[in-house]
Amino acid sequence: MFEIKVLFVTSEIAPLIKTGGLADVSGALPVALREIDIDVRVLIPGYPKVMAQLGPNEVVARFLEIPGFPPSRLIFSIMESGVPLLVLDCPSLYARDGGPYADANGNDWVDNSIRFGLLSKVAAILGSEESPLSWQPDLVHGNDWQTGLTGAYLSVAKGAVPNVVTIHNLAFQGNFPPKNVQLLHLPPQSFQPDGMEFYGNMSFLKAGIFYAYHITTVSPNYAREIQGEALGFGLQGLLHARRNDVTGILNGIDTDEWNPETDKHLPHHFSVAKMSGKALNKQALQSRMGLDINPEVPLLGVVSRLTHQKGLDLLLEIAQSLLDLPVQLVILGSGEPQMQNTANELALRYPGKVAAMIGFDEGLSHLIEAGIDLFIMPSRFEPCGLNQFYSQRYGTPPIVHSTGGLADSVVDCTPDTLKNGTASGFVFSGMTTENLYTTIVRAIDLYRDQRKWKALRKNCMSKDFTWKTSALAYRDVYLKVLGRTEYE
Ligand code: ADP
């Protein structure tokens, strides 16, 4: 029997619509929460991709007159994972070609404040007396800036339930000109430093943090980091002031989607007990990407947005010296044009040794995780990160910068950690090309020692990455916010 009812609000959800890690979390966490008796229902905008993939559905509400917003309606459906979905259908805001946040050229939709203002507003309506639904949540759980105004709307709603906000990346804040306060019919008193005012603009994320009963973020280390100047993106003061209400909960992963024994994207399956399939995937990857077929050479890989945050400029800078070594490199990613060009140029200059695929390719990302030997993730900051989990699960030790969730989820390989069975990758501190280079060389050295290498791979693959632990931690937050110590 369900004990807590939660409206989970998100701007993307796998497998329906995905631009990054938020979609993975939104697809998997509600499933894990439902398994521990929390009745989670997900509210998501009705982008074309979402509408096109809906199973049997029914219209459950029509919002004809929300001041400041075009008419919209709510459609109820159930995802394949079993999670109930409330789709906010508003064709004038969401029915467009392009991504959830930007058009096909990467330019943000000019009316994003209205698009995600409506999402926040409807979340608040569903969490108040005004809700047209018979199902009423005990709390609203929003994610990132796109849901940030929910708490501000709830603060003036009748019969409002409490709300929680999860920060997946503080760098994206949803800051807009102040006229939006009026346009979005927000309480005028909310536009002040003790509210949503942020350096003269109105900020969705600041509102989210200010008005939430509790704030979570996606790793304990990142929860600490965002309270300091270096990674606080201007919100460190507020986050520090609210530190007793900030909790870091490490993400899990979808262990069905990312299972080397059953992964539908892999030509060969493997497990910790039977690793031969991994070598065959390496061969398949080399062949597909036009790399020399060579089982011995250490194959390094990247799957990432190609942005400053991900630190891949460092890798591209050292690529030439790295490629003097007997290694291969495969890059899958898209993002900043300059990084894309450099990756393409490397592939042209080193045929058979470097392969680059610019774009987003879910299937290939699985084959890369399975087929490579070392995954490279030198993020400057990383709230949680997912690929370091995927690679560990696929017996591919990650090389990571010691930041955010990477520091919480990868244990550096040293003689001690290898001996006590905790080593699960290679971690470097200090974001310099030299540190990255020496760490890659250290990893390659270990790769040459097959006995140690196998022990390291086994550690990686034996770790528990399920959502269960995280779901229990979210339940604790919900109980705290609801003022309950245990189920009543
Ligand atoms: P972020 O959300 O900051 O982009 P995460 O590591 O948390 O980074 O999650 C990124 C997710 O997107 C992972 O599931 C990763 O595999 C996927 N991903 C990123 N770039 C690509 C790409 N070019 N092709 C396929 N999947 C990608």
Side-chain angles (χ1 to χ4, degrees), residues 69 112-121 149 153 184 204:
F69 299 99
N112 268 348
S113 64
I114 309 283
R115 298 173 75 241
F116 296 108
L118 179 66
L119 180 65
S120 302
K121 176 71 186 181
L149 300 184
Y153 286 123
L184 302 179
F204 272 56

Side-chain angles (χ1 to χ4, degrees), residues 10-85:
T10 182
S11 56
E12 48 184 282
I13 187 165
L16 302 182
I17 176 94
K18 167 167 166 172
T19 71
L22 170 61
D24 294 313
V25 175
S26 303
L29 175 59
V31 179
L33 288 169
R34 291 182 71 82
E35 278 166 10
I36 54 168
D37 295 339
I38 297 175
D39 179 7
V40 186
R41 305 192 176 196
V42 176
L43 175 67
I44 175 119
Y47 316 110
K49 274 192 178 165
V50 171
M51 302 300 283
Q53 295 175 78
L54 282 188
N57 60 77
E58 59 171 318
V59 176
V60 286
R62 291 176 195 281
F63 299 108
L64 298 175
E65 283 176 50
I66 303 179
F69 299 99
S72 59
R73 56 186 196 160
L74 273 185
I75 299 174
F76 179 84
S77 185
I78 296 189
M79 294 188 59
E80 248 178 58
S81 63
V83 172
L85 200 61

Side-chain angles (χ1 to χ4, degrees), residues 345-427:
E345 279 162 25
L346 276 177
L348 282 175
R349 194 163 343 131
Y350 296 92
K353 221 174 165 182
V354 179
M357 173 69 90
I358 303 303
F360 196 96
D361 187 331
E362 185 78 32
L364 181 58
S365 76
H366 286 240
L367 180 59
I368 291 178
E369 293 286 12
I372 60 176
D373 298 301
L374 284 159
F375 189 84
I376 305 188
M377 197 164 178
S379 307
R380 286 195 165 76
F381 67 94
E382 194 59 80
C384 178
L386 290 169
N387 279 303
Q388 81 279 16
F389 293 121
Y390 300 152
S391 50
Q392 288 174 73
R393 189 154 161 80
Y394 281 48
T396 302
I399 296 175
V400 303
H401 177 220
S402 178
T403 186
L406 299 177
D408 282 330
S409 59
V410 183
V411 177
D412 189 38
C413 184
T414 64
D416 281 348
T417 57
L418 203 55
K419 203 164 158 197
N420 68 25
T422 56
S424 65
F426 301 87
V427 184

